[in-house]
Amino acid sequence: MPTEGNTVPPRYRYEQIADDLAERIASGEFSPGAKLPSRRELIEHYEVTEPVIDRAMQVLRIKGMTETLPGVGVFVAE
């Protein structure tokens, strides 16, 4: 049996997106207080469905990296 690729469990797409956005925040691409791209822009950029983006945004919010202002957008936490 091949063992290649079995050392790390597969990751859900929303986790990959959350990690990518977290790295972009950490790198300064999105600075504290900056508004993240809209849900529609993220859906197009990552080529996923709305629930996947919502889940990724939830992960960032739980980690304290973002703040959501209903009707306004998602912002990088100060």
Side-chain angles (χ1 to χ4, degrees), residues 6-7 16-17 29 33 35-36 40 42 46 50 52 54 56 60 63 68-69 76:
N6 291 344
T7 55
Q16 295 170 343
I17 293 168
E29 181 179 342
K35 185 176 180 180
L36 293 182
R40 179 169 282 122
L42 292 171
Y46 291 106
E50 194 169 306
V52 175
D54 290 346
L60 294 175
K63 288 182 175 181
T68 302
L69 296 177
V76 177

Side-chain angles (χ1 to χ4, degrees), residues 7-52:
T7 55
V8 177
R11 295 173 64 236
Y12 290 105
R13 187 70 176 119
Y14 77 88
E15 293 175 312
Q16 295 170 343
I17 293 168
D19 285 350
D20 183 57
L21 288 168
E23 287 174 18
R24 292 168 74 182
I25 289 168
S27 76
E29 181 179 342
F30 298 119
S31 57
K35 185 176 180 180
L36 293 182
S38 70
R39 178 187 284 153
R40 179 169 282 122
E41 290 170 322
L42 292 171
I43 289 168
E44 290 175 11
H45 178 78
Y46 291 106
E47 299 179 340
V48 294
T49 59
E50 194 169 306
V52 175

